[in-house]
Amino acid sequence: AQSVSQHNHHVILSEAASLELGCNYSYGGTVNLFWYVQYPGQHLQLLLKYFSGDPLVKGIKGFEAEFIKSKFSFNLRKPSVQWSDTAEYFCAVTPSNWAGNNRKLIWGLGTSLAVNP
Amino acid sequence: ETGVTQSPTHLIKTRGQQVTLRCSSQSGHNTVSWYQQALGQGPQFIFQYYREEENGRGNFPPRFSGLQFPNYSSELNVNALELDDSALYLCASSLILAGDLGDTQYFGPGTRLTVL
């Protein structure tokens, strides 16, 4: 069965620290990959996505992620976090073929990031 | 460009009752997906509607049903509510075009359903 695993459930960092959140998926075919963020009291927002092409993708607010196909991974990174990055981060995957149920997003459990000022 | 909106924001029901949640998709989108998010969990796919037809369903019982209207807005109906149905219900809209590599889903704020 398809699944997404986020390794870190809770992360606490100080401002200016570097961030890397792990995401691995299990699926044998080609996939589309997403990171969403949910700031306190707000709805899910798209941070970045990968469909094809350059495996290093850049998103909003200085975030980037690298797709490593051989490792089935799509880790999220930011060189220097800010207090305003405090949020819940979700990795999600969908198989990239147009067929019935395959358009659904499969989600990780999320990583709660707290950035101390 | 209008974003995804959902109503109501919060809802309290008792076991056995029925509930209807509503979603207005983002302008220009033709697909609506519904997800259930329990506390501390990632969203779970309920079903998706594309051009007014169900286009995939997750592991939810038949008492979860939906509709998509010609303007691409959507409803989620849940019959015979159970305590475990208490969750945040998320609606996401996207534009699916034949031949696309994929679609990007944009989420509404959700409806918080509490079943007592």
Side-chain angles (χ1 to χ4, degrees):
Chain A
Q2 302 152 6
S3 65
V4 175
S5 174
Q6 291 183 238
H7 315 299
N8 319 96
H9 296 298
H10 299 280
V11 174
I12 301 173
L13 295 173
S14 298
E15 276 194 317
S18 65
L19 171 72
E20 180 159 2
L21 300 182
C23 173
N24 285 87
Y25 66 92
S26 65
Y27 180 71
T30 55
V31 292
N32 298 327
L33 298 146
F34 304 83
W35 276 97
Y36 284 86
V37 61
Q38 191 166 30
Y39 297 104
Q42 296 187 28
H43 61 277
L44 281 164
Q45 300 173 37
L46 180 69
L47 259 184
L48 48 77
K49 63 184 179 183
Y50 172 82
F51 284 6
S52 68
D54 188 344
L56 183 62
V57 292
K58 295 190 184 300
I60 60 172
K61 305 186 179 185
F63 285 91
E64 65 178 31
E66 184 175 12
F67 171 47
I68 303 179
K69 189 175 181 180
S70 61
K71 295 184 177 180
F72 299 90
S73 71
F74 190 55
N75 292 353
L76 181 71
R77 300 194 292 250
K78 185 171 184 178
S80 176
V81 295
Q82 301 173 314
W83 176 77
S84 58
D85 294 324
T86 295
E88 190 88 14
Y89 292 81
F90 291 94
C91 180
V93 170
T94 184
S96 55
N97 38 345
W98 168 232
N101 221 24
N102 284 334
R103 287 287 182 163
K104 68 179 179 182
L105 283 169
I106 303 158
W107 298 77
L109 291 178
T111 297
S112 175
L113 172 66
V115 180
N116 295 323
Chain B
E1 188 177 81
T2 308
V4 180
T5 60
Q6 292 186 243
S7 63
T9 308
H10 296 87
L11 205 50
I12 299 175
K13 292 284 189 179
T14 56
R15 274 187 304 174
Q17 285 190 311
Q18 178 265 343
V19 69
T20 298
L21 310 181
R22 295 179 175 82
C23 171
S24 290
S25 58
Q26 188 167 307
S27 176
H29 286 182
N30 57 12
T31 302
V32 170
S33 304
W34 286 92
Y35 295 84
Q36 181 194 66
Q37 186 179 18
L39 213 56
Q41 304 288 319
Q44 296 292 316
F45 176 72
I46 302 175
F47 43 56
Q48 182 180 87
Y49 280 85
Y50 168 66
R51 292 185 175 179
E52 301 179 58
E53 294 197 359
E54 189 178 286
N55 179 43
R57 188 180 182 90
N59 295 324
F60 281 82
R63 59 190 184 83
F64 285 77
S65 63
L67 281 174
Q68 188 180 33
F69 300 100
N71 66 356
Y72 301 123
S73 66
S74 177
E75 285 183 356
L76 164 65
N77 298 292
V78 187
N79 294 322
L81 283 167
E82 301 177 359
L83 296 179
D84 285 349
D85 296 333
S86 294
L88 182 67
Y89 288 84
L90 297 167
C91 167
S93 78
S94 59
L95 175 64
I96 291 180
L97 298 172
D100 276 353
L101 284 178
D103 58 308
T104 301
Q105 297 184 15
Y106 295 90
F107 285 80
T111 293
R112 174 73 63 189
L113 173 64
T114 302
V115 182
L116 302 176

